[in-house]
Amino acid sequence: MDSLQAKQRIFELRKEIEYHNNLYYNKDNPEISDYEYDMLLRELENLEQEFPEYRDSSSPTVKVGGSAGKKFSEVVHTVPMASLHDSFSKEEIIDFDRKVREIVKNPQYVVEPKFDGLSVSCEYENGVFVRGSTRGDGINGEDVTDNLMTIKSLPHRLKGDFPPFLEVRGEVYMSYKSFEELVKRQEINEEKPFKNPRNAAAGSLRQKNSKITAERSLDIFVFNIQQIRGKTFESHKESIDYLASLGFTVAPFYNRYSEIGDVLAEIDRIGDLRGSLDYAIDGAVVKVDNLAQRDLLGSTAKFPKWAEAYKYPPEEKETKLLDIEINVGRTGALTPVGIFEPVFLAGTTVSRATLYNKDFIDETQIGIGDTVIIRKAGEIIPEVVAVKSHGENSTPFVYPEYCPSCHSKVYREEGESVVRCTNTDCPAQLMRHLIHFVSRDAMDIDGLGPAVMEQLVDRGLVKSPADLYKLRAVDLASLERMGEKSALNLINALEKSKSNSLYRLVFALGIRHIGQKAAKLLCRKYHQVEMLFSAKAEEISEIEGFGDVMAESVEDYFSLEETKALIYELKNLGLNMSETDTAVEEGVFTGKTFVLTGTLPTYKRSEAAKIIEDNGGKTSSSVSKKTDFVLAGEDAGSKLTKAQALGVKIISEEEFKNMLGI
């Protein structure tokens, strides 16, 4: 590769890595595996070393990948929260040891598991937890104190000989068990599930509503002292022992070694333990134990020179496909699930995995008897990577023409990958539909979880959402694990939900393509439920954010006689059928759509968005020809560029205030 080619490739890699950094650290929604990301970063590191003339202080190899979001108030870290340099071979760990020994004599190393979660800082004054924050970009993080307070394994008050001030660093994580339960709930509601426990933990910790965070059952391991007053230590191991005495949950093992051969053996031992742990680790961390030696070794702008992370490779296995089952979801979606010869993979025995959809079936020509390669996405969700070979007698699987639950004809809309059952009364859809109906963002009926709902359906007490409001306390009290008090609480929760705003009911009905935000926008235009019965797709599509597919879905749903019958039954049972959202209908921004980008001088973007909506306007996350104004601050990115290309009017905060008459 010549210099010009290297320059181009370095530019491409930096752009690609920054894109994935934003998805991983800020959006909690990665598109590629950790291993694929690590390989991109390693390629960039190698090129920058080979062509030092193209090094840049803003490169992803130099700076921490995350950033402080705008959702929470900012915290400036007095002690930077650095990243770690990664190794992918034993030779690299040996090279790390060689570099250490060139500077310090007879180093000892502590080897710990590398937890796969979200790094946080926790501060204590006189033994009391006072503030917690995310790592962010290493210097600026987000204040998530309230959410950290919900984590039971993080002490709110320290025990023993605590100092006047202490700041510790830890890793917030979600156990495999909690993650599996969360994904099951998301799948039942046909929500997009988190890809792995790490993203689930990060997404849960960044919730504005700490009650949601509390329901996610997060945990934390504390692994470092960032700052301390009134006490000193000579070694890292000594400091971790001290943290354990204060009541922190520290790593279950952090052993000390003098020889690099023993360090490598411990890395292997930790790797072998992965299958028996109830939490995700993606590697092992090797740290110089003596704190004075750490000072001699120093740090780069991104990571310390006294520590190295060894990353374990992803594990894949071959197995034989024995059968394909078809599961029917809440909206009638038919999802294929592969049944395999059991294989031990990433710590558990795997015998089932999703086959995604009909397109995957058709593209791979997969058939019963084929040999396939499977892995665990995020080391938890089994997935088929590829078909390695077709069996001698196997034939491609043929997608069913009739629903396996109710035997109604199935269909596939043009442009969609999903095959659906046409029968709205399909028994397989009922359970999932009811669980969605009572979920938090819908009717928010506390106490009606899957276990209770399953009993109600099995006993024939509930056959539609309306039946929920006909339940009596005596019916509920007879259910397993449901006493009189719980039954009464549930009846009260059902009664309370009757006064919900109309948009919650519309979202709860489970109309295809209509999420909570779309339901809210819909009900601001059609604020009486009867107005939706005669609404036509053409006029519905005029709502900002609505496309033709969404509009047609709404018209199709409310034109059905069974929909009208359900609505009238719910109305007779006392449910509110009017929109009670207090959005301002008229104002200086009525009929105008704004896109916000960059950092504004005085307003947070969320504050500016609320001002726009309070004055009758709307906000959108993307720029289009329908956008009226782009409110741009410093460091405005691609949205500003697109606005310029489309000729959309760009305004400053000062111009924005002038429009308001401020």
Side-chain angles (χ1 to χ4, degrees):
M1 183 180 291
D2 61 29
S3 179
L4 189 61
Q5 290 173 322
K7 181 179 180 181
Q8 180 62 28
R9 182 57 180 158
I10 286 171
F11 175 79
E12 291 172 353
L13 284 168
R14 285 174 181 166
K15 190 174 182 180
E16 186 174 1
I17 289 169
E18 290 289 5
Y19 171 77
H20 290 300
N21 275 342
N22 183 50
L23 290 176
Y24 182 86
Y25 290 105
N26 305 324
K27 304 295 186 183
D28 307 316
N29 187 32
E31 289 181 354
I32 61 175
S33 69
D34 288 356
Y35 182 77
E36 291 169 314
Y37 173 86
D38 290 337
M39 292 302 99
L40 290 173
L41 193 62
R42 175 53 60 90
E43 183 185 353
L44 180 59
E45 287 176 349
N46 292 338
L47 283 173
E48 289 179 345
Q49 287 177 6
E50 187 177 350
F51 299 91
E53 63 269 29
Y54 300 130
R55 286 178 180 168
D56 191 306
S57 61
S58 64
S59 172
T61 62
V62 176
K63 63 179 185 177
V64 175
S67 64
K70 304 299 182 184
K71 190 187 295 186
F72 302 93
S73 59
E74 187 177 83
V75 173
V76 179
H77 299 303
T78 306
V79 177
M81 297 180 70
S83 185
L84 287 169
H85 186 262
D86 294 332
S87 288
F88 301 94
S89 69
K90 301 293 178 60
E91 289 73 23
E92 290 179 87
I93 295 296
I94 293 171
D95 189 52
F96 163 72
D97 174 60
R98 178 187 59 76
K99 291 176 181 177
V100 168
R101 291 179 188 275
E102 287 176 354
I103 298 174
V104 302
K105 293 183 178 180
N106 304 318
Q108 288 187 308
Y109 299 105
V110 172
V111 184
E112 307 167 354
K114 184 177 181 298
F115 305 109
D116 193 13
L118 183 72
S119 197
V120 297
S121 159
C122 299
E123 299 171 49
Y124 290 79
E125 293 180 358
N126 297 315
V128 177
F129 177 52
V130 293
R131 187 170 70 167
S133 55
T134 63
R135 180 175 69 171
D137 62 6
I139 301 297
N140 302 292
E142 304 159 307
D143 189 326
V144 288
T145 306
D146 289 345
N147 290 349
L148 283 168
M149 289 283 284
T150 70
I151 300 177
K152 294 179 181 178
S153 51
L154 181 70
H156 296 175
R157 184 178 294 274
L158 302 179
K159 62 182 182 181
D161 181 25
F162 53 78
F165 177 79
L166 173 68
E167 180 186 357
V168 298
R169 181 170 174 175
E171 197 86 354
V172 172
Y173 70 96
M174 182 178 288
S175 71
Y176 285 152
K177 181 181 179 182
S178 296
F179 178 70
E180 287 172 340
E181 291 173 351
L182 174 59
V183 168
K184 283 178 183 176
R185 293 198 299 270
Q186 290 175 318
E187 287 177 342
I188 286 172
N189 290 327
E190 293 196 3
E191 301 168 353
K192 184 178 180 181
F194 285 111
K195 288 184 170 68
N196 54 51
R198 187 267 169 200
N199 300 113
S204 300
L205 192 65
R206 288 186 172 126
Q207 292 288 329
K208 286 295 288 182
N209 185 349
S210 60
K211 187 177 179 181
I212 296 175
T213 305
E215 293 173 348
R216 299 283 176 84
S217 301
L218 298 178
D219 278 298
I220 186 171
F221 283 114
V222 171
F223 58 82
N224 195 61
I225 292 178
Q226 298 292 95
Q227 298 184 78
I228 189 169
R229 297 179 197 147
K231 200 168 185 68
T232 58
F233 303 97
E234 292 185 359
S235 75
H236 174 65
K237 189 175 187 304
E238 180 189 358
S239 70
I240 299 301
D241 290 339
Y242 174 68
L243 291 178
S245 74
L246 296 180
F248 289 107
T249 301
V250 299
F253 34 84
Y254 48 100
N255 299 313
R256 185 161 49 195
Y257 302 95
S258 300
E259 301 297 329
I260 194 63
D262 294 330
V263 168
L264 296 177
E266 178 66 359
I267 288 173
D268 285 339
R269 187 185 76 85
I270 293 174
D272 292 339
L273 284 172
R274 279 194 293 171
S276 62
L277 302 175
D278 189 34
Y279 47 85
I281 63 171
D282 58 359
V285 184
V286 181
K287 301 177 180 178
V288 171
D289 185 45
N290 184 278
L291 301 184
Q293 290 182 340
R294 288 186 179 185
D295 290 338
L296 289 172
L297 290 161
S299 301
T300 69
K302 186 175 181 180
F303 49 76
K305 295 180 179 179
W306 44 261
E308 188 80 359
Y310 177 84
K311 299 292 285 289
Y312 298 118
E315 185 181 7
E316 296 181 347
K317 291 283 182 71
E318 292 180 15
T319 186
K320 184 178 180 181
L321 179 63
L322 302 177
D323 197 5
I324 296 177
E325 291 181 356
I326 299 292
N327 291 340
V328 185
R330 172 176 61 84
T331 60
L334 273 63
T335 303
V337 177
I339 312 299
F340 309 99
E341 285 185 349
V343 59
F344 194 75
L345 178 67
T348 60
T349 300
V350 174
S351 60
R352 299 169 63 89
T354 179
L355 297 177
Y356 308 108
N357 51 43
K358 188 177 186 299
D359 287 343
F360 181 82
I361 299 286
D362 293 342
E363 288 166 9
T364 60
Q365 291 290 291
I366 195 169
I368 295 168
D370 288 352
T371 298
V372 298
I373 299 172
I374 62 173
R375 69 182 174 199
K376 282 188 176 180
E379 297 192 355
I380 185 67
I381 303 173
E383 64 178 5
V384 175
V385 179
V387 175
K388 183 174 184 182
S389 63
H390 294 295
E392 188 175 331
N393 299 315
S394 74
T395 56
F397 178 77
V398 178
Y399 232 74
E401 295 182 6
Y402 297 91
C403 173
S405 176
C406 69
H407 310 295
S408 297
K409 188 78 173 176
V410 300
Y411 72 102
R412 178 181 181 177
E413 285 188 5
E414 185 177 349
E416 281 201 355
S417 60
V418 179
V419 175
R420 299 181 188 276
C421 170
T422 56
N423 179 15
T424 56
D425 293 325
C426 175
Q429 297 180 49
L430 175 61
M431 177 69 176
R432 291 174 174 83
H433 177 56
L434 289 170
I435 289 174
H436 169 75
F437 186 86
V438 304
S439 63
R440 175 176 301 281
D441 290 336
M443 295 304 284
D444 191 18
I445 303 171
D446 193 27
L448 262 179
V452 174
M453 192 70 78
E454 188 172 0
Q455 292 184 70
L456 292 171
V457 172
D458 288 346
R459 296 190 185 192
L461 293 171
V462 175
K463 296 179 181 178
S464 81
D467 290 339
L468 293 170
Y469 294 95
K470 301 173 187 176
L471 291 170
R472 302 171 300 165
V474 65
D475 298 325
L476 295 168
S478 66
L479 300 180
E480 186 178 340
R481 298 181 182 178
M482 178 72 74
E484 290 184 12
K485 185 176 180 181
S486 297
L488 186 59
N489 288 340
L490 184 47
I491 292 295
N492 290 336
L494 284 161
E495 191 64 30
K496 180 182 176 183
S497 74
K498 291 180 180 181
S499 60
N500 283 343
S501 193
L502 178 60
Y503 82 85
R504 283 187 169 273
L505 175 60
V506 169
F507 175 58
L509 292 172
I511 307 165
R512 286 181 56 209
H513 309 300
I514 304 301
Q516 187 188 49
K517 183 177 180 180
K520 188 175 290 188
L521 293 172
L522 184 68
C523 293
R524 284 182 183 174
K525 182 176 178 68
Y526 303 98
H527 47 270
Q528 298 290 335
V529 74
E530 287 85 355
M531 296 171 69
L532 288 165
F533 293 162
S534 57
K536 298 301 179 185
E538 186 177 355
E539 64 184 39
I540 296 171
S541 64
E542 294 174 359
I543 300 173
E544 179 67 30
F546 269 68
D548 291 341
V549 172
M550 294 170 67
E552 288 169 7
S553 182
V554 171
E555 180 183 350
D556 290 346
Y557 182 82
F558 283 103
S559 65
L560 294 172
E561 290 304 317
E562 50 264 43
T563 297
K564 296 174 184 177
L566 173 61
I567 293 293
Y568 284 129
E569 188 174 10
L570 290 170
K571 183 177 182 179
N572 290 334
L573 287 164
L575 274 71
N576 171 55
M577 294 293 158
S578 301
E579 181 53 44
T580 57
D581 188 286
T582 56
V584 174
E585 295 296 330
E586 296 293 335
V588 67
F589 296 142
T590 296
K592 304 298 181 183
T593 299
F594 288 73
V595 171
L596 286 67
T597 182
T599 303
L600 300 174
T602 61
Y603 289 129
K604 292 181 180 178
R605 289 217 298 255
S606 58
E607 293 172 340
K610 187 175 188 305
I611 291 171
I612 290 166
E613 291 172 1
D614 286 347
N615 283 275
K618 301 171 186 175
T619 58
S620 175
S621 60
S622 59
V623 179
S624 71
K625 291 181 180 179
K626 293 183 178 180
T627 305
D628 294 292
F629 301 101
V630 169
L631 175 54
E634 290 185 14
D635 300 322
S638 59
K639 293 177 183 178
L640 179 61
T641 305
K642 188 172 182 180
Q644 291 168 335
L646 292 174
V648 175
K649 185 173 178 59
I650 300 163
I651 61 172
S652 65
E653 184 183 289
E654 184 177 355
E655 291 172 299
F656 177 68
K657 288 180 176 178
N658 289 337
M659 293 168 74
L660 289 164
I662 298 176

